[in-house]
Amino acid sequence: MAIVWLIIIGAAAGFLATRLMNIEAGILPTIGIGIAGALIGGLVLRALLAVMGLAAGLVGAVLGALLLIWVWQTFQKK
């Protein structure tokens, strides 16, 4: 069940992150970015998740996805 929740949160986070970073990406890259961001954000913000509940999971997933997009754009330019 945790995997399904990660995919749902990751898809939502990827969508929000790509819109916030003003990039156009297909459905699969958006979901991939969101899932990777959810993993990154989940590790970094694990303490917040325990305190604030599922809302912190979405915040962490979006922040992780934003970080991943920034890194991707930084290295893609080179």
Side-chain angles (χ1 to χ4, degrees):
M1 186 61 151
I3 301 284
V4 174
W5 189 246
L6 177 66
I7 292 171
I8 293 170
I9 292 293
F15 175 79
L16 290 172
T18 56
R19 297 305 172 256
L20 289 171
M21 295 295 287
N22 232 3
I23 67 166
E24 292 295 325
I27 293 172
L28 291 178
T30 298
I31 292 173
I33 288 168
I35 291 172
L39 291 171
I40 294 167
L43 292 173
V44 172
L45 298 174
R46 193 165 182 91
L48 270 180
L49 183 59
V51 174
M52 293 178 54
L54 295 176
L58 179 60
V59 170
V62 171
L63 291 175
L66 289 171
L67 176 67
L68 185 63
I69 289 171
W70 177 77
V71 169
W72 178 35
Q73 286 181 336
T74 300
F75 288 108
Q76 189 178 19
K77 290 178 184 177
K78 292 181 179 180

